[in-house]
Amino acid sequence: MTATAPPLAGPQRLPDAGRWVPGLVAVGLLAFRHLLGLGGLELDPGFFALYSLCEFAAAVLCVSRALRYESERVAWLLLGLGTFASFVGDSLEYALYGNGSYPSPGLLDAFWLANYPLAAAGLVALVAARFPKPEPARWLEALQAALLVAALGLLAVFQPVLDEKTRSLGRHIVLLSYPLLDILLLGAILAGFALSGFRPGRSWVVLGMGLALFVVVDSVLVTTAVGPYTGDLLVAGWPAAHFLVAFSAWMPAERVRRVASDDWRTALLPVAAVVAMIGIQLAAIFG
């Protein structure tokens, strides 16, 4: 038998799709501009302005949601500030160094890294608001989810960066920080799914998609040492991720469904853990 919590105050219907068309068009132009013959591999000032505007707009949307509704205010304010930190870091990088390399570790890393604790704190506040008093078994599943993501992340992202020996110690430490924080952020997302018994509602799914896309793009950048403005799809990934987070902010928060201990969803994580362990062993055997 399942029980439900009372609905949360906040947005009562899905955001008007028409208002998000400019953002979709902007991300599409960033993603396919080279294919459309609108520029080379590097962003020119006009397209970088469009890129920055996307990030800034996503941050404003999250913060404005926090200001308009009292429910989940802290969570969306923190997530909006995290997006704003990324916007400031990217804007300073282009203003100071253009498409060239930037000194690292440095001020820019401070802004980019600030996004992670702000987003993580926002997720914690959102979990507290949406999944109050979960069953003890859900906490265990949340821990399993975080450990599962950590194991796969260390294999796929953290280890390749750790093996790179050509950079200075300070640069190496900073580069290791990005995949480590990516892993923790992705683990927190999946932990939220587990706490809800894998029924968190559509807004949490969209939020998870946005943060997961951010993590994937960030991980590709770090592990392949691709410059921040080489590759349209990579460039467009960040504003697309921020817009997904902003869109989820304005979606109605659905009722929490408590899942019984004998529900079939409780078997998802143990099965995933076994598959992940097999994958890790195969990766170790075949390199």
Side-chain angles (χ1 to χ4, degrees):
M1 180 179 296
T2 60
T4 58
L8 297 170
Q12 300 300 311
R13 59 181 181 178
L14 291 175
D16 184 4
R19 297 181 180 180
W20 296 80
V21 170
L24 291 175
V25 172
V27 172
L29 287 175
L30 289 170
F32 301 108
R33 66 187 183 87
H34 186 57
L35 182 63
L36 297 172
L38 300 176
L41 290 178
E42 295 182 341
L43 285 182
D44 57 35
F47 270 97
F48 183 80
L50 180 63
Y51 171 90
S52 295
L53 181 62
C54 289
E55 284 192 311
F56 181 74
V60 169
L61 285 168
C62 288
V63 173
S64 61
R65 194 276 186 213
L67 296 177
R68 181 169 181 178
Y69 297 105
E70 183 177 359
S71 67
E72 305 174 353
R73 174 169 292 168
V74 173
W76 292 113
L77 179 61
L78 290 169
L79 287 163
L81 290 176
T83 301
F84 186 75
S86 292
F87 158 75
V88 173
D90 290 340
S91 299
L92 284 176
E93 181 194 19
Y94 198 84
L96 297 177
Y97 306 104
N99 286 309
S101 60
Y102 61 91
S104 180
L107 177 63
L108 300 181
D109 292 303
F111 282 106
W112 289 326
L113 290 172
N115 174 54
Y116 293 98
L118 288 169
L123 284 175
V124 170
L126 204 57
V127 165
R130 296 197 177 183
F131 315 130
K133 298 180 180 179
E135 297 177 358
R138 301 291 83 78
W139 285 111
L140 181 59
E141 289 180 348
L143 177 61
Q144 289 175 329
L147 293 175
L148 176 62
V149 170
L152 295 175
L154 289 173
L155 174 69
V157 179
F158 193 79
Q159 190 62 44
V161 179
L162 188 64
D163 290 339
E164 179 59 58
K165 304 296 184 183
T166 60
R167 301 179 177 91
S168 66
L169 178 60
R171 176 63 173 162
H172 205 71
I173 292 174
V174 169
L175 279 180
L176 287 172
S177 300
Y178 287 103
L180 179 60
L181 293 171
D182 282 329
I183 292 167
L184 293 175
L185 187 60
L186 196 57
I189 297 167
L190 189 54
F193 277 86
L195 284 174
S196 68
F198 292 93
R199 301 169 68 177
R202 290 177 296 178
S203 61
W204 188 272
V205 171
V206 174
L207 173 64
M209 290 170 57
L211 293 177
L213 177 60
F214 179 90
V215 167
V216 169
V217 174
D218 206 46
S219 300
V220 171
L221 170 65
V222 172
T223 56
T224 61
V226 176
Y229 304 120
T230 56
D232 292 342
L233 290 177
L234 185 63
V235 171
W238 279 300
H242 293 316
F243 271 132
L244 283 171
V245 173
F247 188 84
S248 70
W250 289 89
M251 294 177 68
E254 299 171 80
R255 295 181 178 182
V256 178
R257 298 178 175 86
R258 299 187 183 277
V259 179
S261 58
D262 59 348
D263 193 285
W264 65 270
R265 293 174 182 80
T266 59
L268 289 176
L269 274 174
V271 172
V274 171
V275 172
M277 286 188 291
I278 294 173
I280 292 171
Q281 291 296 324
L282 290 175
I285 293 172
F286 297 104

